[in-house]
Amino acid sequence: MHKAQRLVQLIMLVNERKKFTIQELADECGVSRRTMIRDLMELSELGVPLYSQTGPGGGYRVLREKVLPPISFTEHETMALFFACQSLRNYKSLPFTNEVDMALHKFFHYLSSELKQKIEQMQQRLIFWIPPHDIEVPFLRDLLEGALEQRVVTIVYEAATRRERMIQPLGIYTMNGLWYCQAYCFLAEDYRVFRMDRVKDFSDEGDQSKQIDMNEDHIEQWVMRMDESDMLELEVDLTPEGIRRCQSDLWLAPSIELHENGSGTIRTKMSSSFTTWAVHFFLGLGMEANVKQPQVVREQIKNKLHDLLNQYG
């Protein structure tokens, strides 16, 4: 085996193991112990953080983070990866902000001059836009790690009131530039969605005995999980202009039924927790939308209109 190929294989081998000996690696690579010592020294010079321990039961292990072997990309693969990272740049908060910046810096540094120029030109022609939100999300990484490790944690959540809640995060997602955490809330004894910029404090629970088993079947389609017992029928008549404006909403668009005269109707179900959002959204459409149901949304729109009339005399 060529030396360069052997070094790549060696990086993959040491990444797979918590601990190994020189003789074990020499046997697997089919080289002498002396050659393996030289190879490990070269890996160390290349930046692979190896740590050795002498004596009975000793050996080598990789210190800190794993190191990936060299990977070759085509021009289109390179551009796809670069712009996948670039699509995150408008987020004020990410669970791995520094890592994205460093990865892009390394990636761009080793590109050819021609490909650098092509990417710079494309940056002026291709933009991944999200609504800008100047909102801090200080516990984004903590909640992601809590979801990955399935830990029970305590948060202080500020919505209508400020309250402490014990939750088990299921996962996090982003929509319209905001971050959300789906979790099991032990206070409500049900699943809840928490807007993550409203999490004001975070701590791990010392007692993990309440931990719920969230296996793959259990978490299927967890994003925006709805409680069927808490659903309301939403029906809204729309003018052609109302249709156009509702089609820009990712959640409402699939529920629009078009009529021959160009008007349309929204028929779907929504969680009662969306009531306030629905009131403000459809009120903002003015005469372009007529909410038929749920009645609670109609009544709150009427109340808002009455308050507006009083405000503007």
Side-chain angles (χ1 to χ4, degrees):
M1 183 186 295
H2 191 275
K3 181 179 178 181
Q5 291 176 310
R6 191 171 70 247
L7 289 177
V8 171
Q9 181 189 11
L10 192 54
I11 291 176
M12 297 174 71
L13 284 174
V14 300
N15 272 335
E16 291 170 358
R17 303 179 182 188
K18 290 184 178 180
K19 194 175 182 181
F20 52 88
T21 65
I22 291 174
Q23 193 59 55
E24 287 172 350
L25 295 181
D27 292 342
E28 288 202 43
C29 294
V31 297
S32 67
R33 180 183 175 87
R34 180 177 294 179
T35 299
M36 182 51 60
I37 290 173
R38 285 201 302 269
D39 286 350
L40 288 173
M41 289 178 66
E42 286 200 38
L43 284 190
S44 184
E45 291 171 0
L46 288 171
V48 178
L50 295 174
Y51 170 77
S52 64
Q53 183 177 353
T54 58
Y60 282 81
R61 62 186 176 88
V62 178
L63 201 61
R64 302 189 303 273
E65 298 179 351
K66 303 293 185 184
V67 178
L68 293 176
I71 304 172
S72 297
F73 296 105
T74 66
E75 180 177 306
H76 285 167
E77 288 171 342
T78 300
M79 296 179 73
L81 287 170
F82 187 86
F83 281 98
C85 291
Q86 287 288 86
S87 68
L88 303 173
R89 67 185 305 173
N90 289 328
Y91 281 91
K92 182 178 178 64
S93 298
L94 290 170
F96 32 70
T97 304
N98 294 334
E99 290 86 345
V100 170
D101 292 339
M102 286 300 297
L104 281 178
H105 178 74
K106 291 179 183 177
F107 203 43
F108 197 73
H109 178 74
Y110 290 103
L111 298 180
S112 66
S113 298
E114 181 183 356
L115 192 50
K116 282 181 182 178
Q117 184 178 9
K118 198 168 186 178
I119 287 176
E120 286 172 344
Q121 290 174 343
M122 190 170 289
Q123 281 182 297
Q124 300 171 4
R125 310 286 183 181
L126 176 63
I127 296 174
F128 297 87
W129 188 86
I130 61 162
H133 293 283
D134 192 25
I135 300 175
E136 297 290 343
V137 190
F139 302 107
L140 181 57
R141 180 174 293 204
D142 296 307
L143 285 163
L144 175 58
E145 290 178 354
L148 291 171
E149 298 171 13
Q150 284 303 284
R151 300 196 312 269
V152 178
V153 303
T154 297
I155 62 172
V156 174
Y157 192 70
E158 189 175 82
T161 59
R162 192 181 180 103
R163 198 169 190 181
E164 189 174 273
R165 292 175 179 263
M166 186 166 64
I167 65 171
Q168 183 174 333
L170 183 57
I172 69 173
Y173 63 92
T174 181
M175 184 172 65
N176 294 331
L178 296 172
W179 287 95
Y180 299 86
C181 177
Q182 178 78 248
Y184 184 84
C185 177
F186 293 93
L187 179 65
E189 297 184 339
D190 201 358
Y191 290 95
R192 291 288 186 269
V193 176
F194 298 95
R195 220 176 86 176
M196 295 174 67
D197 57 282
R198 294 176 178 169
V199 177
K200 303 303 179 183
D201 199 9
F202 174 97
S203 60
D204 280 311
E205 274 293 316
D207 181 10
Q208 293 288 315
S209 60
K210 290 189 176 183
Q211 192 178 86
I212 298 171
D213 179 19
M214 294 183 177
N215 55 42
E216 289 186 8
D217 294 332
H218 188 70
I219 67 172
E220 185 178 358
Q221 296 181 341
W222 60 269
V223 177
M224 298 183 71
R225 179 196 296 265
M226 299 295 186
D227 180 2
E228 291 295 329
S229 66
D230 191 37
M231 302 298 282
L232 300 173
E233 295 288 341
L234 178 65
E235 182 179 348
V236 185
D237 287 339
L238 300 169
T239 66
E241 174 61 16
I243 289 174
R244 186 186 68 80
R245 291 168 68 177
C246 287
Q247 282 175 333
S248 63
D249 186 279
L250 294 177
W251 178 62
L252 291 175
S255 305
I256 298 174
E257 300 173 8
L258 297 176
H259 303 155
E260 289 184 2
N261 63 359
S263 63
T265 302
I266 291 174
R267 288 189 178 90
T268 187
K269 291 185 177 182
M270 72 171 199
S271 168
S272 62
S273 64
F274 286 9
T275 298
T276 301
W277 171 85
V279 169
H280 286 90
F281 181 85
F282 291 112
L283 182 60
L285 294 183
M287 298 297 292
E288 312 302 337
N290 183 4
V291 177
K292 297 295 188 179
Q293 56 178 329
Q295 189 63 28
V296 64
V297 174
R298 285 182 61 87
E299 290 301 321
Q300 289 190 29
I301 288 177
K302 289 179 185 178
N303 293 337
K304 290 284 184 185
L305 288 171
H306 183 267
D307 292 341
L308 282 171
L309 282 173
N310 289 335
Q311 179 175 322
Y312 289 99

